Amino acid sequence: MSEPPEPIRIAAWSGPRNLSTALMRAFGNRADAAVIDEPFYGLYLARTGIDHPLREATLASRPSGEAAIVRTILGPAPGGAAIFYQKHMAHHMLPGVDLSWMAGCRSFFLIRSPERVLASYAARRETVTAQDIGFARQAELFDIEARRLGAAPPVVEAEDVLAEPRRVLQRLCGALAIPFAEAMLSWPPGRRSTDGAWAPAWYAAVEASTGFSPPAPEPPKLPERLRRLADEARPHYERLRLYKLACD
């Protein structure tokens, strides 16, 4: 009996509050795709000891050993799907974590302005650091992938997806060498079995959604402590923004 064909593995690199779960919904609604939600989250929590909402449930639901995680993400797609979409948080990739598995995936990078990220993140968690939002690490991973490819990997701006979802997702699918699917533009509301154990703390908006909403107004002016973080993150965001897929 012949082995099933290797799936196309897509690694979506984001930070928190970046529209990453909505994009996971879009890919998860494709008939030819399976998704996995933040497979390195358990490793991140175990190694840092950081206190996140639903920490124990997350640790119980995600392996904390690198070998087990890599076996999953480089293994067959659930259900034998042709596309295996993997939602990754850049800051989960701690120093010393082996990144060689990235060569088995087609990576893209989802960016959002630090002001929008921080306004959303701070509304759900009292404390926030530069490491929590992952801008610097995302830029490092972008550079690693660009060196491997010899060219910049695809970059998508969250607000562009919200403003013109069809056009931007068509461009993204083209850059990833997969066909665009109309099913990516809308999905049923509710939670998914593929959502991480942390979903009750973070996913209320996407659970109520049935598609991409129009871009929100600019967030209110950040307090000084968050503005300093935004200023620190901005150079990383602006550099990746130079490579974003045009939506015109």
Side-chain angles (χ1 to χ4, degrees):
M1 190 171 182
S2 60
E3 292 291 322
E6 285 284 302
I8 296 170
R9 300 180 182 89
I10 296 174
W13 293 103
S14 177
R17 318 312 296 170
N18 262 31
L19 201 71
S20 58
T21 308
L23 267 185
M24 184 174 69
R25 283 286 189 274
F27 276 86
N29 207 45
R30 295 176 61 117
D32 60 355
V35 303
I36 189 170
D37 194 6
E38 302 182 29
F40 283 89
Y41 199 175
L43 178 149
Y44 173 76
L45 292 179
R47 292 193 182 178
T48 63
I50 195 168
D51 185 19
H52 272 194
L54 295 170
R55 171 186 163 85
E56 295 307 318
T58 300
L59 285 167
S61 69
R62 287 288 181 268
S64 57
E66 285 185 56
I69 300 167
V70 172
R71 279 196 301 272
T72 296
I73 60 182
L74 292 186
I83 295 172
F84 191 6
Y85 182 90
Q86 304 171 11
K87 173 190 164 194
H88 294 290
M89 293 288 107
H91 62 288
H92 290 173
M93 308 311 295
L94 295 166
V97 171
D98 183 10
L99 300 175
S100 61
W101 62 268
M102 289 175 64
C105 300
R106 303 176 189 180
S107 289
F108 78 92
F109 291 77
L110 177 63
I111 62 171
R112 198 175 206 183
S113 77
E115 289 78 13
R116 289 185 183 275
V117 169
L118 284 161
S120 179
Y121 191 96
R124 290 160 179 80
R125 192 160 177 258
E126 187 174 346
T127 60
V128 55
T129 68
Q131 289 71 32
D132 290 330
I133 53 176
F135 281 81
R137 187 56 167 158
Q138 187 183 38
E140 291 172 354
L141 295 169
F142 175 87
D143 290 340
I144 289 168
E145 186 66 1
R147 285 194 295 271
R148 186 183 74 82
L149 295 173
V155 176
V156 173
E157 175 96 48
E159 263 51 50
D160 290 346
V161 178
L162 294 174
E164 298 189 87
R166 182 189 304 276
R167 185 172 296 185
V168 176
L169 290 178
Q170 285 174 337
R171 291 292 308 276
L172 176 60
C173 288
L176 295 170
I178 62 172
F180 170 73
E182 194 75 18
M184 299 175 75
L185 299 177
S186 62
W187 49 81
R191 192 166 297 172
R192 305 288 188 272
S193 62
T194 49
D195 290 347
W198 53 93
W202 298 98
Y203 290 3
V206 79
E207 287 171 11
S209 73
T210 57
F212 295 103
S213 303
E218 287 294 325
K221 186 176 179 180
L222 297 174
E224 177 64 19
R225 65 184 178 86
L226 296 182
R227 189 177 62 77
R228 288 196 300 270
L229 289 176
D231 290 344
E232 182 179 342
R234 178 159 291 280
H236 305 297
Y237 162 72
E238 293 290 355
R239 185 164 68 82
L240 267 62
R241 196 167 184 262
L242 294 173
Y243 298 97
K244 75 172 186 171
L245 298 174
C247 59
D248 51 32

